[in-house]
Amino acid sequence: MCGIVGYTGQKQSFPLLLDGLKRLEYRGYDSAGLAVVKESQVESHKAVGKIEELQKDIGGKDIPGSLGIAHTRWATHGVPTEENAHPHCDCSGRIWLVHNGIIENHQALKDQLEKEGHEFQSETDSEVMVHLIEKFYQGDIAEALRQALYKIEGAYSFVVFHSEEPGKLVAAKKGSPLVLGIDDDGVIVASDVTAIIRQTRNVIYLEDKEMAVVEGGEFHILNWNNQTRNKEPQKVSWDLEELEKKGYDHFMLKEIFEQPDSITDSLRGRVIQEEGKVKLGGLDTVADRLSQVENLDLVACGTAYYAGLVGEYMLEEYADLPARALVASEFRYRKQLLDKGHCLLALSQSGETADTLAAIKEAQERNVLSLGVVNVVGSSIARTTEAGVYNHIGPEIAVASTKAFTSQLVILALLTVYWGRMRNMALAMGQRITQELEELPQKAQETLKTDKRIREIAQKYYQVSNFAFLGRKYNYAVALEGALKLKEISYIHAEGFAGGEIKHGPLALVDKDFPSFFIVPQDSVYEKNLSNMQEIKARGGPVIALATQGDERVAQIADEVVYIPKTLEMLTPILAVIPLQLFAYYMATFNSTDVDKPRNLAKSVTVE
Ligand code: F6R
């Protein structure tokens, strides 16, 4: 996730900016940069990679100046390069800006600004804003920023200065956080309070559509209509580690709770609900070839493979596109009948998984079109595939994947509409799916309310040695994912089964010490699931069930029921997995395991 730090005051800004950048490292980033001004002269440095690379570029000296801005970038538009790193400046080299978030209408603005003679140095959406400010600038940087804000759409925060307005820093936000740290000697502006608390614990959080103008040690907060907002600083009492985890005990829990936002981020700017269509800019270059695709291989590992399994059902049912999910590590060892209409879609959070990369290369050698659904911009898989869709969910830090899984499912649903509408999907179906997708963030929020109930259930079962997870159709993969989450972080043996399979062997395991977690929403396989639950109950096995809100029948069979909101059948996995993630999390914490870094596992698996 990008990070912002800015300072103006009586101290030297450079050491404060550098310290602030280091405090933001935990959020993940791929490049960094800063700009410091002294007597109208700006010195700027940028580097790809870690802050140490930036320090090397600076050459171990101090940069003089009491005003400056700095940024860690997590690439969204444009790969990690020095040109794309922030701060960005206007054509005159006097206005400098750092930006977090996304400017959705950046392309239209850029086209217009280019026509008006502005020259761009980067591929970023952020640079559009600095040229827009330049366009409106008439001697007051705050006023120019205010006018530019009315032209942009999206979620963002900015910190900006003009090198000829000494000591003046301006900031604004909408949908992306910004906080002021108020010191006796000056003011720090940052996207995250972690970058501030070494200097001061007196902070003011900006609200959406607020601006701050900081000059001569004074700050002035106003709304976008230029009306003053009187705000008093408040004291931060949390320590650094608590702040990085935003008060959650573990990154995994934080990431589970981020899902309403990460789902929103993956959908942002991609849905055209009235037309029942989706817009995926990353596929534009291959759009013609996509209409020729006759068979799709969804290739991935672990959790991402389970997302592929759900995608297989979505694409076949709604886009009439024959699809199969394949474990990437097996792909090369199987005789692949890859013909002209074949396409490979790799799913990977890290974009670095060696097995997935190897499968892509194998397919490419056979002239198969390769696409990626990747979270880390500029990663190996993002670079190797011919086109793709980014998750845009920020870094996932806990080893166990949570928000990446739900985001992958969201993107697979978007791809289903994308391909479906190219093939036979009716307008009404496109509209229905996109409408349900837009309702998902709020339903995910609702689903997170199961937290307390799940914790109670985990407290009851955390000492068991084995667990089964069962589901059918779309939720078969969710059963597999529930089992994987539980085993990897709690070390309790767990297996996922397709409900219909239990009679073919696994039923022999069932007794009073072998609980089963059923995913049983009211969908097309509901009755079949109920029968499987009965089979387990009849053999004395405890049953926990995940059911649709309002369902009373499940409660008559199961020992414990957890309810999730109703949604379209193909989207149920996105909600159903959330209580299973929470269940694994609480089972692990009751067993005192290292939740964020489970033994023997790595976040990015770069060996085959
Ligand atoms: C499980 C988990 C792993 C990853 C797998 C693929 O919680 O995180 O199973 O899903 O290693 O990783 P990516 O998505 O980075 O290719």
Side-chain angles (χ1 to χ4, degrees):
M1 253 2 191
C2 301
I4 287 178
V5 202
Y7 175 80
T8 179
Q10 289 166 25
K11 295 183 191 157
Q12 288 297 300
S13 61
F14 174 63
L16 298 178
L17 297 177
L18 210 54
D19 181 67
L21 287 184
K22 287 183 179 158
R23 304 283 148 209
L24 295 174
E25 279 196 294
Y26 79 96
R27 295 160 63 100
Y29 64 104
D30 46 49
S31 51
L34 53 76
V36 174
V37 59
K38 186 177 183 217
E39 291 162 5
S40 306
Q41 294 303 311
V42 180
E43 181 166 345
S44 172
H45 294 267
K46 298 177 182 190
V48 174
K50 294 285 162 200
I51 311 271
E52 291 81 67
E53 298 303 317
L54 182 65
Q55 285 178 291
K56 272 190 217 155
D57 190 69
I58 296 166
K61 59 169 188 174
D62 274 340
I63 306 174
S66 54
L67 184 149
I69 55 178
H71 191 263
T72 47
R73 176 169 186 256
W74 168 268
T76 55
H77 293 79
V79 294
T81 59
E82 282 186 24
E83 291 73 32
N84 289 338
H86 301 216
H88 293 287
C89 70
D90 70 334
C91 301
S92 74
R94 286 179 292 204
I95 302 173
W96 291 77
L97 161 145
V98 284
H99 163 226
N100 279 3
I102 294 176
I103 302 172
E104 286 168 7
N105 57 338
H106 67 102
Q107 196 55 53
L109 290 168
K110 185 171 178 177
D111 294 346
Q112 179 61 32
L113 286 161
E114 277 179 332
K115 268 192 212 140
E116 293 169 10
H118 291 262
E119 285 182 16
F120 284 76
Q121 312 296 328
S122 76
E123 302 162 293
T124 63
D125 54 338
S126 315
E127 196 189 346
V128 166
M129 188 60 173
V130 80
H131 290 280
L132 204 54
I133 296 171
E134 177 183 20
K135 173 173 164 166
F136 291 116
Y137 187 73
Q138 291 194 327
D140 179 355
I141 189 67
E143 181 55 21
L145 170 64
R146 198 178 70 83
Q147 290 190 31
L149 289 168
Y150 280 103
K151 301 286 176 197
I152 57 169
E153 289 160 22
Y156 40 77
S157 54
F158 300 103
V159 180
V160 189
F161 71 79
H162 190 296
S163 60
E164 287 169 9
E165 293 192 52
K168 188 167 170 185
L169 204 58
V170 293
K173 72 149 259 165
K174 188 186 135 209
S176 181
L178 216 46
V179 54
L180 306 186
I182 319 293
D183 196 347
D184 290 342
D185 304 312
V187 176
I188 307 188
V189 188
S191 52
D192 188 320
V193 81
T194 50
I196 290 178
I197 58 163
R198 282 242 308 192
Q199 305 308 322
T200 174
R201 288 184 169 269
N202 295 329
V203 302
I204 294 179
Y205 289 91
L206 290 188
E207 301 298 329
D208 280 352
K209 298 202 170 188
E210 281 185 347
M211 286 177 64
V213 182
V214 189
E215 202 174 1
E218 302 285 313
F219 62 90
H220 182 194
I221 297 174
L222 47 155
N223 66 17
W224 292 2
N225 297 327
N226 252 342
Q227 291 158 323
T228 297
R229 309 288 299 254
N230 291 318
K231 293 181 109 172
E232 288 300 320
Q234 47 179 287
K235 277 236 175 307
V236 182
S237 56
W238 288 359
D239 67 27
L240 211 55
E241 209 187 280
E242 279 175 316
L243 282 168
E244 286 176 354
K245 292 182 186 147
K246 298 265 180 309
Y248 290 101
D249 289 342
H250 296 94
F251 282 109
M252 181 179 175
L253 192 60
K254 171 175 164 280
E255 285 158 8
I256 293 173
F257 272 85
E258 271 170 6
Q259 288 177 108
D261 290 337
S262 55
I263 294 171
T264 305
D265 291 342
S266 295
L267 288 171
R268 180 170 287 117
R270 290 172 164 169
V271 172
I272 313 168
Q273 215 264 304
E274 319 76 64
E275 295 177 32
K277 277 194 179 162
V278 303
K279 196 171 76 197
L280 297 167
L283 299 181
D284 284 352
T285 53
V286 292
D288 286 349
R289 290 166 74 191
L290 293 180
S291 60
Q292 315 291 320
V293 171
E294 283 159 22
N295 284 292
L296 183 68
D297 285 349
L298 300 144
V299 179
C301 299
T303 291
Y305 163 66
Y306 298 148
L309 277 179
V310 179
E312 184 183 288
Y313 283 79
M314 289 179 177
L315 286 150
E316 293 200 337
E317 182 164 6
Y318 289 95
D320 279 341
L321 179 62
R324 53 177 194 165
L326 299 167
V327 172
S329 57
E330 286 296 311
F331 188 84
R332 286 184 305 158
Y333 307 116
R334 181 167 164 183
K335 180 174 176 187
Q336 298 292 350
L337 304 170
L338 305 173
D339 55 25
K340 229 170 117 246
H342 237 92
C343 173
L344 179 142
L345 178 73
L347 299 149
S348 176
Q349 186 287 129
S350 63
E352 300 297 345
T353 303
D355 286 318
T356 310
L357 203 51
I360 296 166
K361 288 185 178 156
E362 170 83 16
Q364 286 180 339
E365 277 169 22
R366 315 264 304 267
N367 292 323
V368 167
L369 172 63
S370 60
L371 310 174
V373 173
V374 174
N375 189 33
V376 179
V377 174
S379 56
S380 303
I381 294 178
R383 293 195 312 272
T384 310
T385 45
E386 289 169 69
V389 185
Y390 282 121
N391 296 92
H392 287 321
I393 56 167
E396 193 180 61
I397 292 172
V399 165
S401 188
T402 52
K403 64 176 181 172
F405 179 70
T406 45
S407 169
Q408 284 157 351
L409 296 180
V410 165
I411 289 171
L412 286 164
L414 290 172
L415 283 167
T416 301
V417 178
Y418 184 91
W419 253 304
R421 298 284 282 130
M422 272 186 181
R423 298 164 72 88
N424 298 328
M425 187 186 285
L427 167 69
M429 182 51 79
Q431 289 171 324
R432 170 112 198 269
I433 299 173
T434 49
Q435 185 186 339
E436 288 282 349
L437 276 167
E438 301 225 273
E439 288 173 13
L440 273 181
Q442 177 265 321
K443 289 184 182 174
Q445 195 70 57
E446 179 76 19
T447 306
L448 284 166
K449 292 188 189 151
T450 58
D451 178 61
K452 191 163 165 278
R453 177 84 184 105
I454 289 283
R455 192 176 185 282
E456 283 165 7
I457 297 172
Q459 190 150 34
K460 193 164 157 189
Y461 289 93
Y462 77 95
Q463 284 164 324
V464 301
S465 309
N466 299 289
F467 232 102
F469 288 78
L470 295 109
R472 283 171 178 260
K473 202 176 170 185
Y474 286 102
N475 288 299
Y476 164 43
V478 177
L480 296 172
E481 172 61 2
L484 176 62
K485 281 294 89 92
L486 183 62
K487 72 182 106 173
E488 74 173 319
I489 61 165
S490 74
Y491 316 148
I492 293 169
H493 171 242
E495 282 191 69
F497 301 108
E501 275 293 294
I502 51 166
K503 305 191 245 345
H504 303 286
L507 206 51
L509 293 168
V510 171
D511 65 15
K512 66 174 184 18
D513 300 318
F514 190 91
S516 300
F517 208 132
F518 267 87
I519 300 115
V520 52
Q522 280 169 331
D523 58 10
S524 60
V525 286
Y526 175 70
E527 294 295 338
K528 299 276 182 214
N529 266 323
L530 287 189
S531 308
N532 294 142
M533 277 171 58
Q534 302 272 23
E535 284 159 9
I536 297 227
K537 279 305 294 173
R539 281 144 187 101
V543 168
I544 307 167
L546 203 57
T548 306
Q549 278 168 359
D551 184 337
E552 286 168 11
R553 285 176 66 196
V554 170
Q556 288 164 13
I557 308 169
D559 300 279
E560 331 275 349
V561 188
V562 178
Y563 292 100
I564 57 170
K566 188 160 186 61
T567 182
L568 203 62
E569 179 172 5
M570 73 176 242
L571 303 178
T572 49
I574 301 171
L575 301 180
V577 78
I578 294 174
L580 301 189
Q581 296 165 343
L582 288 167
F583 183 66
Y585 173 78
Y586 287 117
M587 293 286 275
T589 52
F590 286 130
N591 281 291
S592 308
T593 59
D594 188 350
V595 173
D596 283 337
K597 292 197 183 87
R599 67 186 182 202
N600 310 335
L601 298 180
K603 182 67 185 159
S604 188
V605 186
T606 53
V607 287
E608 286 180 44

